[in-house]
Amino acid sequence: MRRRSFGDFVKAFFAFVALAVLLVGVPGALATQIGWPLPSGVPSFDWLQQEITVHTFLNILTVLVWLAWAQFTACVLVEMKAALSGVGVPGRVPGAGPSQLLARQLVAALLLVGATAASFTPGLSQLGQGYDAGQKPTVAAAQATPGLFAQQQDQASGAAAALAEQASHAAAHADAGGGTARQGDTKYYRIQPPEGRHHDSLWEIAQRHLGDGRRYKEIFELNKDRVQPDGSKLSEASLIRPGWIMEMPGDARGGELVEMPDEAPNVSPEVRQQISDYAQTGDHAQGGGGARGGSDQARGGGTAQVSVPEQQRPAHDAGHRQATAVGAESDRSFGLPEALLTAPLLAAGLLGALGRRRRQALWQSAFGAVGGRRGMEPPTPSGDALDVQDALLVGADPEGVRLLDRSLRGLAASLAEESRALPVVYAAWLSNGDLHLQLAQPAGKPPAPWQQGQDQTFWMLARTDAERYEDVDTAAPYPGLVSLGTMDDSRLLLNLEAVPGIVSLSGREADRAAVFASVAAELATNGWSDRMTITLVGFGEDLTPLAPSRIRHLEDIEALVETMEAETRQRRGALGAAGHDSVLTGRTGPAQHTRWAPHLVLLAAQPSAEDAVKLAELAADASRLGIGYLVGTETGDLPGAAWEMEITGQGKLLAPLLGLELDAQLLPAAQQRAVVELFVEADPERDPDRPATTPPFLVDISEQGRPAVYARLVGPYEIIGLDNPDGERSALLHEALALLLLHREGVHPRVLSSALWPRGVTDDVRDALLDRLREWLGTDPDGTPRLGTDRSGRLTLAKTVVSDLDVLRSLYHEATQGKGVGSRAVRGRLLTDALVLVRGPLLADRPEGRYRWLTHEIVDAQLPLLVADTGLALCEFHMEKNRAEKAIEALGAALRTAPADERLWHELLRATHATGDTDRLTALATDLIGRSGARGLPPRTEALLDELLPAWRDAIATAG
């Protein structure tokens, strides 16, 4: 604590005098010299007509002075209460402004001396709380405890040295203060290692020991830039590490604190001797043990190590609230598989790949016969597959994947501009939105906006900086990164292709299989890689549908060894011919994106001793070649294993030599089967002869089927039949209704909440929105709520709530597979009515930043195909009677919503040719060429023009 000077006492005296004059003198003078300024009775009308005299004017001024005095007195009371209690920022007195600022300065000056005296006196709450003789304090001394990150034993002396240095600092402060300080008034706290999901932060330490978390700044100022036991220093209040020593303010209290006078009575004799030895050497902490211990840990004694990045604390309020919100929802999973709910990167990859597969099925079926489309509607999953699909929708973090991909590619582009090679990255940590890369060795200063992390082997990118990255045309630098699990709030991604040897995984067979399936599924579908080969041995034949172009399966280890020997020779030769040291050099050079792709081998079967030796020989140089090996073992003893991990029956992934204990990311067998089922059902090549699918919801299109609530989604969003809800929640209600209308099969409550609040929400907020949605939609005449739930708890809409997309699907289905099949007149009327409904793209006026869940949907692909099919069917209807102009009109209406559909342009060319107007056909061809841009016309379009207008090239050249 800073010692008070003579000037402090002078300031306190004048502050006392000023407060006495303002609080006591002013009201006393007003009462004795002027008296009561207000009238003694009730004013009458005659009183208001009296002349304003000097006495009246003085009374008015007196009232104003009394009001100002009352306001200033309130300010003094508020500031005094806050200062004495030490709790937070004082409350604001309405309209006070400068008056409260003056009160704050006077109170602070007055209490300056009192705070000095109080710092030497134990608080009443501390009486009787001394340590028992046999009780060992939690933080006693600075003896080295095994950390999470494979700390070396010589850190014990470093910890003692740092503690001794802080004790000597305290003694020096006492000497500088003229001997006024006492030895027992300085307290220390040792940062504790994490326990479960909880780990220390300066905020929480201040909350426990100072009574207010907002006093963490005092702890930071006392300890800023001091050398800690591991050789590092406290530079930011949010970055602390287990084992660090914190000097505490004098009024700190609690059983976890330890006082450190020169005698150090609360520490062991060994540590006391170490403190004494350090005091004699003077610069031990700066010159040796602590710093060397930290660097030894970073080097890992020559062995590759993985460390946890420093956590972002105490600036954790927003992140903590978000985690709490998500955690509150995860407590009630509604039967959804937790394995996918807690794997955001894996879920995002699977969801993106599934969407691409379903779109592929739609596009492939687009060239089928009109009216016989088998892929118009994707199959609706059920049972476990439906639960898994919901879990993917809830758990996916596509924004996190996008930021990770852009950040890594942006780093590669920046290094390429500086003619620097990519550093070898062992692991990546996603912690509180920030990205930490752990390097194999120091690689200099990172390019902006990247920053150096806790030491020279960490590069860090804050989320706010990552969000500024744009897409860049460069190869993915670290495609072998894959999620293994989480530690507290940090997610570990291990770079399998950079490991200097084999990564072994031991544990029960079923537990190992869940880890292998998770790793294979994420590698096959992740969004931060361009191309790779994943070889699965001993498992995973059924995983091939996830990514047929990436995954291959080998029967046994013998085939694997033969294959990898050939590939290892080929890659060594290719690197030598290209003049590259490693695949990383090639990825930042002029190489194409498809070169130097990683090959990751996942071997679940236990290799024999002979095969294990062969694999170890192959893996010795694998990291340079972009090849990685993850091998399962029953015993945990595998030759050539650089990193050894174990999966427990409780879902913990342990790597003691690396100092890691993760909550493992798993894909259990049941969820694996359900995921594969989703992909198999979406396969466009599966069962090509199956009949066309029926829409999940058909509307009664007769006059008797008029709905109670009608929403127009095709084009600008409009709702007919409901009053527009007032207030700021109107947008949320409209978005929730749109999601329900696009999923007539039902929407899981957690899917709805994750769509509306991608960053997480508590159950009470979600339930309140559902109550408002039910109230807004109302009930049918028979009393049935229009928003209900099915047997599985999913939210469903009543049949009386209809969208124009429902009507459009029903009209097309009825025209091509219902009554329109047997009646030409009915077919023409239904198709015409359907095309009239099309007013533009889906939800054309949706506000920016909302409806992001549509990126997971395929309705944006379905709607243009549906409109194109309707336009083609109506064109065919008119061309049967040679009504070319009507056909052109129908095709033009369809092209406004599906301008990229090549089939529409082909039929438009044919219909225009049928008119016999060559100039009109030439103009259409010219328009098509202009739309095609640098890519030129598609081959089939060129062939059709050659048939319809043989001289089209010359005609267009002459015209333009």
Side-chain angles (χ1 to χ4, degrees):
M1 300 292 292
R2 185 174 70 88
R3 304 298 147 202
R4 307 310 182 210
S5 63
F6 177 75
D8 295 332
F9 286 95
V10 173
K11 291 179 182 178
F13 173 75
F14 281 111
F16 174 78
V17 172
L19 286 172
V21 170
L22 292 173
L23 295 180
V24 180
V26 170
L30 291 174
T32 57
Q33 300 300 321
I34 298 180
W36 186 249
L38 298 177
S40 56
V42 178
S44 62
F45 183 76
D46 295 336
W47 180 80
L48 295 175
Q49 293 179 334
Q50 292 180 2
E51 181 182 359
I52 298 177
T53 63
V54 175
H55 180 71
T56 304
F57 184 72
L58 288 176
N59 283 343
I60 295 174
L61 288 179
T62 303
V63 171
L64 295 178
V65 174
W66 273 108
L67 292 175
W69 172 84
Q71 185 187 58
F72 179 77
T73 302
C75 293
V76 172
L77 294 176
V78 168
E79 295 293 332
M80 187 72 73
K81 178 181 179 298
L84 293 177
S85 65
V87 178
V89 178
R92 295 185 58 186
V93 177
S99 179
Q100 187 165 4
L101 179 61
L102 175 62
R104 182 175 304 162
Q105 293 173 341
L106 293 175
V107 169
L110 179 62
L111 295 181
L112 195 61
V113 178
T116 303
S119 66
F120 294 107
T121 307
L124 294 177
S125 61
Q126 290 180 305
L127 296 179
Q129 292 187 6
Y131 290 122
D132 296 335
Q135 179 183 2
K136 183 178 180 180
T138 306
V139 225
Q143 57 186 358
T145 56
L148 292 176
F149 321 126
Q151 294 182 352
Q152 306 298 326
Q153 292 183 355
D154 61 354
Q155 283 186 289
S157 59
L163 187 56
E165 182 203 18
Q166 294 188 358
S168 65
H169 274 301
H173 291 326
D175 294 341
T180 59
R182 300 214 305 253
Q183 291 177 338
D185 66 341
T186 303
K187 302 179 180 67
Y188 292 90
Y189 176 85
R190 182 177 176 84
I191 305 300
Q192 298 299 295
E195 294 182 6
R197 295 189 61 84
H198 174 269
H199 50 266
D200 263 343
S201 70
L202 292 188
W203 178 284
E204 293 169 348
I205 296 168
Q207 184 71 40
R208 290 197 305 269
H209 299 293
L210 299 177
D212 183 10
R214 284 167 286 195
R215 293 184 63 188
Y216 75 89
K217 295 181 180 179
E218 300 176 30
I219 306 176
F220 171 74
E221 292 298 332
L222 286 172
N223 297 277
K224 183 180 180 182
D225 294 331
R226 291 192 179 186
V227 177
Q228 292 292 336
D230 59 0
S232 54
K233 296 180 180 181
L234 176 65
S235 58
E236 294 185 36
S238 60
L239 300 178
I240 62 175
R241 300 174 68 177
W244 280 8
I245 307 298
M246 295 289 115
E247 181 181 344
M248 300 293 290
D251 62 338
R253 57 185 181 272
E256 295 177 343
L257 300 175
V258 63
E259 297 181 3
M260 291 302 301
D262 292 340
E263 297 297 328
N266 293 323
V267 298
S268 65
E270 293 85 355
V271 175
R272 192 183 312 166
Q273 182 62 44
Q274 290 172 353
I275 295 174
S276 176
D277 294 342
Y278 172 77
Q280 295 174 7
T281 59
D283 61 349
H284 175 77
Q286 288 81 359
R292 286 195 301 269
S295 60
D296 285 347
Q297 177 185 337
R299 293 192 299 268
T303 303
Q305 297 287 324
V306 173
S307 301
V308 179
E310 294 169 333
Q311 299 298 312
Q312 298 292 330
R313 299 285 186 167
H316 69 300
D317 290 350
H320 183 266
R321 285 194 295 269
Q322 177 181 337
T324 302
V326 175
E329 252 194 302
S330 65
D331 291 340
R332 293 200 300 162
S333 63
F334 293 96
L336 299 183
E338 291 289 345
L340 292 170
L341 293 176
T342 55
L345 304 183
L346 170 61
L350 289 171
L351 199 59
L354 182 60
R356 290 189 295 271
R357 182 66 55 83
R358 287 173 172 172
R359 285 181 173 86
Q360 183 184 5
L362 284 173
W363 294 328
Q364 287 193 12
S365 66
F367 294 95
V370 174
R373 291 282 310 281
R374 60 181 177 83
M376 177 63 71
E377 302 296 336
T380 301
S382 60
D384 290 343
L386 179 57
D387 288 339
V388 162
Q389 178 176 276
D390 287 339
L392 293 177
L393 290 167
V394 174
D397 182 15
E399 180 67 11
V401 171
R402 184 182 67 86
L403 289 178
L404 176 60
D405 181 48
R406 286 186 173 182
S407 300
L408 296 176
R409 293 179 193 267
L411 174 63
S414 299
L415 290 172
E417 290 177 1
E418 299 176 7
S419 299
R420 296 170 60 185
L422 283 167
V424 177
V425 170
Y426 279 152
W429 291 89
L430 292 173
S431 178
N432 297 323
D434 301 335
L435 174 61
H436 303 255
L437 296 182
Q438 184 173 355
L439 314 183
Q441 58 188 3
K445 183 180 179 181
W450 289 77
Q451 306 171 23
Q452 193 158 296
Q454 61 201 52
D455 57 43
Q456 294 183 356
T457 61
F458 272 94
W459 285 2
M460 191 273 288
L461 181 67
R463 183 184 179 95
T464 53
D465 293 327
E467 290 172 345
R468 300 191 187 103
Y469 269 120
E470 300 292 338
D471 291 326
V472 293
D473 185 21
T474 189
Y478 304 112
L481 287 169
V482 64
S483 303
L484 290 185
T486 58
M487 178 183 288
D488 297 323
D489 295 329
S490 299
R491 181 172 299 277
L492 169 65
L493 288 86
L494 185 66
N495 191 6
L496 280 179
E497 67 167 338
V499 177
I502 293 174
V503 179
S504 69
L505 177 66
S506 61
R508 295 186 310 177
E509 183 177 359
D511 298 326
R512 295 201 316 265
V515 175
F516 273 101
S518 171
V519 170
E522 184 168 298
L523 288 173
T525 61
N526 73 52
W528 54 89
S529 63
D530 298 320
R531 178 176 170 269
M532 69 173 65
T533 301
I534 308 166
T535 297
L536 309 182
V537 184
F539 82 107
E541 273 188 281
D542 55 343
L543 291 176
T544 305
L546 301 186
S549 62
R550 287 192 177 188
I551 296 178
R552 69 177 180 181
H553 185 269
L554 295 180
E555 293 298 328
D556 51 32
I557 300 177
E558 182 180 354
L560 172 67
V561 171
E562 181 180 354
T563 300
M564 298 314 299
E565 283 178 344
E567 180 155 354
T568 299
R569 287 194 301 269
Q570 186 272 333
R571 289 200 172 213
R572 282 175 181 161
L575 280 177
H580 296 313
D581 295 331
S582 71
V583 295
L584 292 180
T585 309
R587 286 177 189 161
T588 53
Q592 300 297 319
H593 291 201
T594 55
R595 297 186 64 187
W596 316 117
H599 186 166
L600 304 176
V601 177
L602 308 183
L603 172 58
Q606 170 78 40
S608 65
E610 182 181 356
D611 291 332
V613 172
K614 292 180 180 179
L615 288 174
E617 293 173 352
L618 291 171
D621 194 31
S623 60
R624 186 177 70 90
L625 306 176
I627 302 175
Y629 294 88
L630 176 63
V631 180
T633 174
E634 298 176 359
T635 61
D637 184 13
L638 189 69
W643 292 345
E644 297 178 347
M645 299 186 297
E646 176 188 0
I647 180 66
T648 70
Q650 292 73 40
K652 293 289 185 180
L653 191 64
L654 309 179
L657 296 180
L658 303 178
L660 295 177
E661 181 178 344
L662 305 173
D663 293 323
Q665 179 172 295
L666 306 172
L667 187 59
Q671 282 80 58
Q672 177 183 334
R673 288 192 297 269
V675 166
V676 171
E677 180 183 341
L678 289 174
F679 279 80
V680 170
E681 288 294 327
D683 187 355
E685 301 299 330
R686 180 175 180 267
D687 194 9
D689 298 327
R690 65 186 177 188
T693 53
T694 302
F697 178 70
L698 291 174
V699 178
D700 182 359
I701 56 177
S702 66
E703 286 295 328
Q704 292 74 25
R706 186 176 299 274
V709 177
Y710 182 66
R712 305 178 74 181
L713 305 179
V714 184
Y717 191 1
E718 299 176 14
I719 297 179
I720 301 171
L722 292 176
D723 295 331
N724 195 35
D726 298 328
E728 299 177 353
R729 299 187 181 95
S730 175
L732 269 178
L733 292 173
H734 279 78
E735 186 173 356
L737 179 57
L739 178 61
L740 291 167
L741 285 167
L742 293 176
H743 289 276
R744 302 306 303 231
E745 73 277 7
V747 177
H748 197 287
R750 293 199 63 185
V751 173
L752 178 68
S753 61
S754 65
L756 300 181
W757 295 281
R759 293 180 179 270
V761 68
T762 54
D763 290 346
D764 57 335
V765 174
R766 181 198 61 212
D767 293 342
L769 175 76
L770 292 179
D771 290 340
R772 283 189 290 270
L773 185 60
R774 287 190 181 93
E775 183 180 358
W776 180 42
L777 292 175
T779 59
D780 286 332
D782 61 357
T784 303
R786 291 176 180 147
L787 177 61
T789 55
D790 61 13
R791 293 180 179 179
S792 65
R794 288 175 171 79
L795 302 167
T796 58
L797 291 174
K799 292 183 178 181
T800 55
V801 182
V802 172
S803 73
D804 54 356
L805 184 57
D806 296 326
V807 177
L808 177 59
R809 284 170 170 158
S810 301
L811 288 170
Y812 178 78
H813 177 77
E814 191 67 22
T816 56
Q817 300 181 48
K819 297 178 180 179
V821 175
S823 172
R824 170 181 166 81
V826 171
R827 182 169 73 256
R829 176 176 56 82
L830 293 174
L831 292 172
T832 302
D833 291 345
L835 212 53
V836 169
L837 294 174
V838 181
R839 300 175 300 129
L842 186 74
L843 297 167
D845 58 350
R846 58 180 180 256
E848 185 178 358
R850 301 213 64 88
Y851 297 86
R852 292 184 177 179
W853 45 269
L854 281 172
T855 58
H856 297 320
E857 306 282 345
I858 65 168
V859 65
D860 274 341
Q862 282 180 291
L863 178 60
L865 289 177
L866 175 60
V867 173
D869 283 348
T870 304
L872 291 171
L874 189 56
C875 170
E876 180 186 13
F877 172 80
H878 289 303
M879 291 302 294
E880 289 175 356
K881 296 295 184 181
N882 296 321
R883 294 197 290 259
E885 292 296 338
K886 288 288 186 180
I888 293 173
E889 182 181 347
L891 293 169
L895 280 168
R896 285 193 288 271
T897 297
D901 197 302
E902 187 181 359
R903 299 171 302 156
L904 291 174
W905 290 104
H906 289 175
E907 293 306 316
L908 185 59
L909 287 171
R910 292 188 178 97
T912 305
H913 177 266
T915 63
D917 191 338
T918 305
D919 293 339
R920 188 174 177 183
L921 183 59
T922 303
L924 178 58
T926 304
D927 184 33
L928 267 175
I929 292 175
R931 290 173 180 270
S932 62
R935 294 177 301 174
L937 292 176
R940 283 177 294 203
T941 305
E942 283 194 5
L944 180 61
L945 277 174
D946 288 338
E947 174 67 24
L948 301 179
L949 190 64
W952 65 275
R953 292 179 177 85
D954 296 336
I956 292 174
T958 303

